[in-house]
Amino acid sequence: MPDTSKSTGWEKARQIGSRLVFVILSTTIMVFFSEKAYWYSQGFVLGELILFYAFPVYAILWAVERFRVRSMPALILVAALFAFLIEGVLTPVIYEAGLLDPVMPAYFIGWHGLLSVVFGWYLLRKWLVHAQWRRILAGSALFGLFWGIWSITFWLPENAAEWEQLVEAGEVAPGGTLWTVPEFATYVFFFTLMLGTSHWLLGRGIWQTQFNLSKAEKWILTLVLVALFVTLVLPVLPLAIVKLAVMLAIIYLALRLNRSREAEGTLLTELGGSVRFLPLLGLLPMPALATAVYAIASNIQSSEDLIRTLQESIPPLQALVGAAVFLWALASTLRSRAKPPELAASRLV
């Protein structure tokens, strides 16, 4: 008789390996929007960011499967979970304004959640898979303008000084915050190529239409996240566990309610198609417009007051958008009713 235990063990290992590759490529996409588009002064550092971000990405993909996430409100709740894990477990930043402050969580929902998960990982992939050119071009153009505007805020003296302090502390690599236009163009085109390649590779048999974890994966993921929180956050702010617990509990209860009302299946099924080469060209407005904004600002020597106004306007706007969208998603989930299986299957977002 054939040794079925060995074949079963090999199959489980293959499945775990497939999930790991899926997580790494998904993480690369989210790191692009959460980190590489946030501050170009990081340079081309990538490996360490993917390593750290992979654990929150693993967690939210598990949440998508576990709670039958298939609607936009439920996805936004998962995106908020991602934001809280990044800034509340990997770093203590979300607690810097106090345990009762709602602004920092809302701001990071607007950045990590809506920008990285909803736009970069979900919507952009959906548009690429279905070759929705107008949406790809419009989304890429808007993000490219934003990317360029946000990048020039690092020219401000206070931001340059803060970056130098990080360099001296050994937390980031030296490089400075004022780059030439060719240097910036190389950076943005390189990472846009990375973004497009990641989406393309996910469609080459790597995308997972289901994300059911083994017991070992669940234990390892949980233990790593707890260890990161205990190591990186608790020593800085012991009471952070209170705020984190409340934020996670709100999301957990809402997603659990979502699961009780949804039929089997998740939005992972919808995104499982391949991405052809031509739609990827629709990403070019991102680096092109980002470079154009950067070049124009360099040539006209934009005033510090104007740049400072831009910097002071963007975070509050993101916080407002993040709060509004999160509250809408929460309310939509709480008031939704159970759908018949055939109707639920037809309402994939």
Side-chain angles (χ1 to χ4, degrees):
M1 294 179 63
D3 192 339
T4 57
S5 63
K6 287 185 178 180
S7 60
T8 302
W10 170 252
E11 178 61 23
K12 288 182 178 179
R14 187 193 66 78
Q15 292 173 354
I16 292 174
S18 298
R19 282 195 290 273
L20 283 172
V21 176
F22 175 49
V23 167
I24 290 172
L25 287 174
S26 295
T27 302
T28 302
I29 292 168
M30 296 184 206
V31 163
F32 170 87
F33 288 97
S34 285
E35 293 286 340
K36 309 318 295 182
Y38 183 80
W39 45 17
Y40 64 90
S41 43
Q42 277 184 341
F44 292 86
V45 174
L46 186 62
E48 183 178 347
L49 293 171
I50 292 176
L51 175 63
F52 274 90
Y53 270 71
F55 296 103
V57 171
Y58 225 116
I60 66 167
L61 291 173
W62 179 21
V64 167
E65 182 68 39
R66 177 70 178 82
F67 297 106
R68 298 175 183 172
V69 172
R70 59 194 305 148
S71 67
M72 183 56 73
L75 176 62
I76 290 169
L77 295 176
V78 170
L81 172 63
F82 180 68
F84 298 160
L85 292 177
I86 294 296
E87 300 296 343
V89 172
L90 300 189
T91 73
V93 177
I94 207 168
Y95 315 108
E96 287 182 351
L99 296 180
L100 299 178
D101 165 64
V103 177
M104 293 297 278
Y107 169 68
F108 288 118
I109 290 173
W111 189 285
H112 295 298
L114 300 184
L115 194 58
S116 300
V117 179
V118 176
F119 173 70
W121 180 78
Y122 173 71
L123 286 177
L124 200 57
R125 174 158 194 84
K126 178 183 177 182
W127 299 339
L128 288 169
V129 168
H130 297 289
Q132 295 175 312
W133 276 91
R134 291 184 179 179
R135 295 183 179 184
I136 297 169
L137 290 170
S140 297
L142 288 173
F143 178 76
L145 289 172
F146 171 75
W147 194 0
I149 292 170
W150 181 253
S151 294
I152 66 175
T153 64
F154 285 93
W155 296 352
L156 293 172
E158 58 267 32
N159 290 337
E162 181 181 359
W163 186 259
E164 288 303 320
Q165 291 176 358
L166 293 174
V167 172
E168 292 174 3
E171 296 183 22
V172 297
T177 59
L178 185 57
W179 289 13
T180 66
V181 174
E183 287 173 335
F184 182 77
T186 300
Y187 175 90
V188 295
F189 275 93
F190 173 83
F191 281 107
T192 303
L193 176 62
M194 180 194 78
L195 172 67
T197 301
S198 298
H199 274 298
W200 180 79
L201 287 173
L202 281 171
R204 311 301 292 181
I206 295 174
W207 187 268
Q208 303 286 296
T209 56
Q210 292 183 322
F211 203 77
N212 294 307
L213 303 190
S214 66
K215 288 184 179 180
E217 287 175 285
K218 293 176 183 177
W219 274 107
I220 292 172
L221 177 60
T222 302
L223 291 174
V224 169
L225 288 174
V226 170
L228 288 171
F229 179 73
V230 170
T231 304
L232 302 175
V233 176
L234 276 188
V236 180
L237 187 61
L239 289 178
I241 192 171
V242 177
K243 186 170 187 174
L244 180 65
V246 171
M247 295 188 299
L248 295 184
I250 292 172
I251 294 175
Y252 171 77
L253 292 174
L255 287 176
R256 185 174 179 180
L257 180 61
N258 178 80
R259 174 183 169 82
S260 69
R261 296 172 173 177
E262 286 285 9
E264 294 287 342
T266 72
L267 54 77
L268 293 175
T269 304
E270 179 195 12
L271 302 178
S274 61
V275 174
R276 297 186 297 276
F277 173 74
L278 284 180
L280 291 171
L281 296 179
L283 300 179
L284 288 178
M286 281 188 190
L289 288 173
T291 301
V293 170
Y294 194 92
I296 291 170
S298 298
N299 290 329
I300 66 174
Q301 297 181 344
S302 302
S303 69
E304 286 186 14
D305 290 340
L306 174 59
I307 296 176
R308 189 169 286 107
T309 299
L310 290 172
Q311 177 183 255
E312 292 173 353
S313 301
I314 293 174
L317 180 60
Q318 279 192 296
L320 285 173
V321 172
V325 172
F326 177 74
L327 291 174
W328 169 79
L330 190 61
S332 297
T333 302
L334 293 177
R335 68 169 180 260
S336 64
R337 297 179 179 179
K339 302 294 190 300
E342 64 275 8
L343 179 58
S346 68
R347 57 188 281 270
L348 285 171
V349 294

